[in-house]
Amino acid sequence: MEVLRRSSVFAAEIMDAFDRSPTDKELVAQAKALGREFVHARLLRAGLAWNAPDRAAPPGGRLAEVCAVLLRLGDELELIRPSVYRNVARQLNLSLQCETVVTDAFLAVATQIFSAGITWGKVVSLYAVAAGLAVDCVRQAQPAMVHALVDCLGEFVRKSLANWLRRRGGWTDVLKCVVSTDPGLRAHWLVAAFCSFGRFLKAVFFVLLPER
């Protein structure tokens, strides 16, 4: 009961941050909450179970809206290039037995995706890569790795994306990707996502290079 109470309080604090200018700490907490939901949705889709202690209940309010949009945009990305976000561990030639190896590889991919700038398309791509790796981890009986990936995602957001997110008013800015009727906006994020595919594949090459 105490865990549920604390989780409810924590969720309330996260949602409250959507009503004002968020701090970096709040942006990271939101990033991780969104990451857990994104991963949970992809695991459910794959018919897999994952125990997430920090996920006491599905998010509500603005956080739920942001999560729904991220998942929707993620669906679009995966429809365009399904092979990119499946069997991610195999593409990276990763052994999922070592947490450090998995998180270092994820950070290498993340760094390459954003090496030429930040866009919402690339942010969605980052979440899709994390979820793809999470599915691989659970399939290979390494569910604890999923928690490490979510934490790693949060740390990357803190170091590399928090300033960008804060300048745009926080995570709710992604809602413009689907609320706007301007077809140019949707095209912009899709083009940015296509660019991120190239960055992702380049990162795959760099991760594999030491193995050659």
Side-chain angles (χ1 to χ4, degrees):
M1 291 298 292
E2 178 63 17
V3 171
L4 287 175
R5 186 190 69 79
R6 290 185 179 181
S7 296
S8 297
V9 171
F10 181 63
E13 290 175 350
I14 289 176
M15 288 185 285
D16 175 64
F18 282 106
D19 298 326
R20 52 181 169 75
S21 181
T23 65
D24 285 6
K25 182 177 180 180
E26 289 166 340
L27 288 170
V28 172
Q30 292 161 3
K32 293 171 67 173
L34 292 167
R36 283 188 287 270
E37 291 303 313
F38 201 106
V39 165
H40 181 71
R42 292 301 182 253
L43 288 172
L44 283 180
R45 188 177 67 183
L48 301 169
W50 174 52
N51 178 30
D54 295 332
R55 186 182 177 274
R62 299 290 275 173
L63 184 62
E65 292 180 45
V66 172
C67 184
V69 168
L70 283 179
L71 286 168
R72 178 176 170 183
L73 298 180
D75 288 341
E76 290 191 35
L77 278 184
E78 292 167 12
L79 283 173
I80 295 168
R81 292 290 298 276
S83 62
V84 173
Y85 302 104
R86 294 176 185 169
N87 301 312
V88 176
R90 184 186 303 169
Q91 293 184 62
L92 296 174
N93 195 27
L94 284 182
S95 167
L96 299 178
Q97 306 302 311
C98 177
E99 179 179 310
T100 302
V101 170
V102 173
T103 54
D104 283 354
F106 175 71
L107 288 174
V109 171
T111 300
Q112 286 297 321
I113 287 175
F114 293 96
S115 63
I118 305 171
T119 66
W120 277 119
K122 294 178 182 181
V123 173
V124 176
S125 184
L126 178 70
Y127 274 75
V129 170
L133 264 178
V135 169
D136 292 342
C137 290
V138 175
R139 280 180 172 157
Q140 295 192 32
Q142 297 291 340
M145 294 287 186
V146 180
H147 301 284
L149 277 170
V150 171
D151 287 341
C152 192
L153 174 64
E155 185 62 13
F156 183 81
V157 168
R158 184 184 70 80
K159 289 183 176 179
S160 305
L161 304 183
N163 287 338
W164 181 82
L165 285 165
R166 192 171 57 253
R167 288 196 303 269
R168 301 181 76 88
W171 287 95
T172 52
D173 186 68
V174 75
L175 300 178
K176 297 175 184 176
C177 291
V178 294
V179 172
S180 175
T181 57
D182 180 5
L185 180 59
R186 183 173 180 275
H188 170 72
W189 95 262
L190 283 173
V191 167
F194 274 124
C195 291
S196 76
F197 292 144
R199 298 290 172 182
F200 177 34
L201 294 176
K202 183 179 178 182
V204 170
F205 173 77
F206 281 119
V207 172
L208 288 175
L209 189 60
E211 304 293 331
R212 296 178 183 275

